[in-house]
Amino acid sequence: MSSEQPVGVIYVEDDEDVRIGAVQALQLAGLSVTPFASVEAASATVRADMPFVVVSDVQLRGKSGTAWLSELHRLDPDLPVILVTGHGDISMAVEAMRNGAYDFIEKPCSSEQLVSVVRRALDKRRLTLEVRTLRSALADRQGIEASLLGRSPQIQEVRRLVANLASTNVDVTIYGETGTGKDVVARCLHNHSARRGGNYVAVNCGGLPESLVESELFGHEAGAFTGATKQRIGKIEYAHGGTLFLDEIESMPLSVQVKLLRALQDRSVERVGSNKPVAVDCRVVAASKANLYELSESKQFRADLYYRLGVAFIELPPLRERREDIPILFEHFTLDAAKRFERDAPIVDDATMSLLLGYAWPGNVRELRNVADRFVLGVLDRRVLSRSAAASSELSLPRQLENIERSIIEDALRRKLGDVQATAAMLGVPKQTLYDKIKRLAVNVDGIREGAPARPQS
């Protein structure tokens, strides 16, 4: 059953007067309740992943609430079960909590106490089911979609370009800020091409000492220079039959750019210390934080190399411009971190997700992965996120606040399958107010209902 459905209450009590009173209190609080007089009657309605929490008396005429608790948790370990008794004591409460009860209430209890405990259990259940649905969707993703996660129009366009270019041999240039996933896109181009059986060779042009760049790229012969005791195959030659990824190519020295241009034109290299060309068949994917055309215009990058590389372009959007992708990316990174650290994957509560959606993400997707690691390890300082909700210097404060508000509304609408009334109740605003915000922020409600991107194409 979809986690987007309203979460209700299964209430089991064999005292009719108590049952009627409790059900009325919960219904007056706006909660959906299904009452039963016995565990045996209620059991037929219970199944794994159901959108309900259970409230059960302990002392019942048939099967007891504590015995049922064990059965319920064998069926669904995350199901919140609240036990109620007029015959309990401290030891019974402790034992029930040890056995996995969500909470323990002693009769007589006030309507306010009952409603408060049930509401907290409902929130927990809703989050659990939402995470299960998201994790199931992640597990079902295949191909390019499994590598380039997201549902924003921007990332859908990136996936379209990758799918279109992967099967070709054309050289590709990827633009994007630090941390936007340029290496992920390059690997995706390689893995979905006919060259996937060859080597994927990544070179960080900005991390190589200038004195070693030529040797790293083109290789060298033994004795070519002091310390060259044996022949070395360069990165370009090693990428023969595969893909060469040149990251931060804008930082490559101009003197090396000349040799790279020749290698790309001739599809051959000459090792340092040799005059013999070696044929090379590799696809080149370059990546840059800066606009190579603008650099070539200012003579900081060779124009002829730019035009040699500049056949096909893929531009990666910063994370702050595709905030609707944050929930699925963060869940993916949380699961990955939990596996690496051998920890249980925690559930992201609404308050944390609001901080994630409002943060500026100067480090983009790489920073989001880092935050997910700290979240799994239990060392995440949420103050860092909260004090940077409007840290982007590129937008005015009202524009930033609009982006944050739009992301929150879109995420809430998805949770409620585009139901505006249910979304308004979830966000705690009048329905007409939400309609006004949807119109002002140009939120695509119909697109959300149909499973399409929430934000309109620009």
Side-chain angles (χ1 to χ4, degrees):
M1 184 169 291
S2 170
S3 65
E4 301 290 351
Q5 296 189 16
V7 183
V9 183
I10 289 178
Y11 188 89
V12 182
E13 168 63 65
D14 56 5
D15 186 315
E16 184 176 4
D17 292 337
V18 174
R19 185 171 66 250
I20 292 174
V23 168
Q24 287 179 344
L26 293 170
Q27 289 177 335
L28 286 172
L31 304 178
S32 173
V33 188
T34 306
F36 295 94
S38 68
V39 166
E40 289 77 8
S43 294
T45 68
V46 179
R47 59 191 178 280
D49 294 321
M50 67 176 191
F52 285 93
V53 302
V54 171
V55 181
S56 175
D57 191 24
V58 170
Q59 302 291 342
L60 297 166
R61 294 189 180 89
K63 185 177 295 182
S64 70
T66 51
W68 195 30
L69 170 66
S70 300
E71 293 181 8
L72 290 171
H73 280 176
R74 282 194 294 271
L75 179 68
D76 187 338
D78 299 319
L79 176 64
V81 179
I82 302 166
L83 295 179
V84 184
T85 182
H87 311 281
D89 55 19
I90 296 300
S91 61
M92 180 181 289
V94 170
E95 186 64 23
M97 299 298 282
R98 283 177 178 171
N99 290 335
Y102 175 78
D103 210 335
F104 190 93
I105 301 175
E106 282 195 88
K107 298 177 186 175
C109 67
S110 66
S111 298
E112 291 78 9
Q113 181 188 7
L114 176 63
V115 169
S116 175
V117 173
V118 170
R119 281 195 187 280
R120 283 189 282 108
L122 291 170
D123 286 341
K124 176 180 172 63
R125 186 59 173 171
R126 176 179 56 78
L127 284 171
T128 297
L129 295 180
E130 287 174 359
V131 168
R132 285 184 185 176
T133 300
L134 188 54
R135 291 177 181 176
S136 176
L138 283 168
D140 290 341
R141 292 176 184 268
Q142 298 178 348
I144 294 173
E145 192 176 6
S147 300
L148 302 176
L149 296 172
R151 54 198 173 196
S152 65
Q154 297 95 322
I155 204 65
Q156 290 188 47
E157 174 63 12
V158 170
R159 285 199 295 263
R160 186 192 69 80
L161 288 171
V162 170
N164 183 43
L165 296 171
S167 60
T168 71
N169 283 319
V170 67
D171 294 335
V172 179
T173 300
I174 304 170
Y175 285 123
E177 296 178 6
T178 297
T180 49
K182 296 185 287 293
D183 178 67
V184 174
V185 172
R187 287 181 182 275
C188 207
L189 285 166
H190 173 76
N191 292 337
H192 295 278
S193 73
R195 297 177 177 272
R196 67 179 69 91
N199 293 323
Y200 174 82
V201 182
V203 180
N204 187 336
C205 301
L208 292 174
E210 187 169 349
S211 59
L212 297 178
V213 171
E214 288 191 44
S215 176
E216 283 292 318
L217 288 177
F218 306 105
H220 62 252
E221 299 289 353
F225 51 84
T226 302
T229 58
K230 59 182 180 179
Q231 184 189 75
R232 174 184 173 85
I233 302 299
K235 300 292 189 183
I236 298 176
E237 189 176 345
Y238 187 63
H240 179 72
T243 302
L244 176 69
F245 175 52
L246 299 174
D247 197 10
E248 297 187 23
I249 195 171
E250 74 276 12
S251 63
M252 179 179 286
L254 290 171
S255 59
V256 181
Q257 291 180 29
V258 177
K259 292 190 174 183
L260 176 62
L261 173 64
R262 180 179 175 185
L264 295 181
Q265 288 175 335
D266 300 341
R267 292 295 165 173
S268 68
V269 297
E270 290 182 7
R271 302 185 191 118
V272 177
S274 172
N275 294 319
K276 181 181 178 181
V278 178
V280 174
D281 173 24
C282 70
R283 178 190 209 165
V284 177
V285 178
S288 174
K289 299 188 296 292
N291 187 302
L292 295 181
Y293 175 76
E294 293 177 356
L295 292 180
S296 69
E297 288 287 287
S298 61
K299 309 300 182 184
Q300 298 178 67
F301 193 85
R302 290 190 63 94
D304 46 8
L305 179 57
Y306 164 75
Y307 288 114
R308 186 69 186 81
L309 292 170
V311 179
F313 299 92
I314 297 176
E315 187 164 354
L316 301 184
L319 190 56
R320 63 181 176 275
E321 292 181 5
R322 56 180 188 114
R323 294 179 188 271
E324 57 263 57
D325 294 337
I326 289 174
I328 193 168
L329 285 169
F330 192 73
E331 184 60 32
H332 170 71
F333 293 146
T334 296
L335 292 173
D336 179 69
K339 184 177 180 180
R340 283 186 284 114
F341 300 137
E342 298 182 345
R343 297 282 187 91
D344 291 333
I347 292 176
V348 187
D349 57 59
D350 290 339
T352 301
M353 183 54 67
S354 294
L355 289 176
L356 295 174
L357 290 170
Y359 184 58
W361 299 111
N364 291 294
V365 179
R366 183 180 295 128
E367 185 181 10
L368 183 67
R369 179 190 288 273
N370 182 270
V371 169
D373 284 353
R374 299 203 301 273
F375 178 65
V376 170
L377 292 171
V379 295
L380 176 61
D381 185 354
R382 287 166 174 79
R383 292 174 297 178
V384 176
L385 299 176
S386 62
R387 64 172 174 255
S388 186
S392 173
S393 60
E394 298 179 340
L395 298 175
S396 65
L397 180 59
R399 180 70 179 278
Q400 294 174 52
L401 293 174
E402 281 186 2
N403 286 342
I404 293 169
E405 189 174 24
R406 182 187 294 108
S407 295
I408 292 172
I409 290 173
E410 289 172 349
D411 183 63
L413 281 166
R414 286 193 186 88
R415 295 185 181 191
K416 297 302 180 184
L417 297 179
D419 186 329
V420 177
Q421 183 169 347
T423 301
M426 174 182 171
L427 295 175
V429 298
K431 184 170 68 173
Q432 187 57 50
T433 299
L434 182 58
Y435 272 119
D436 292 341
K437 290 180 180 293
I438 287 171
K439 182 178 180 180
R440 176 171 57 84
L441 298 170
V443 175
N444 184 5
V445 179
D446 290 336
I448 293 174
R449 289 170 180 156
E450 296 166 5
R455 193 164 297 176
Q457 299 276 359
S458 58

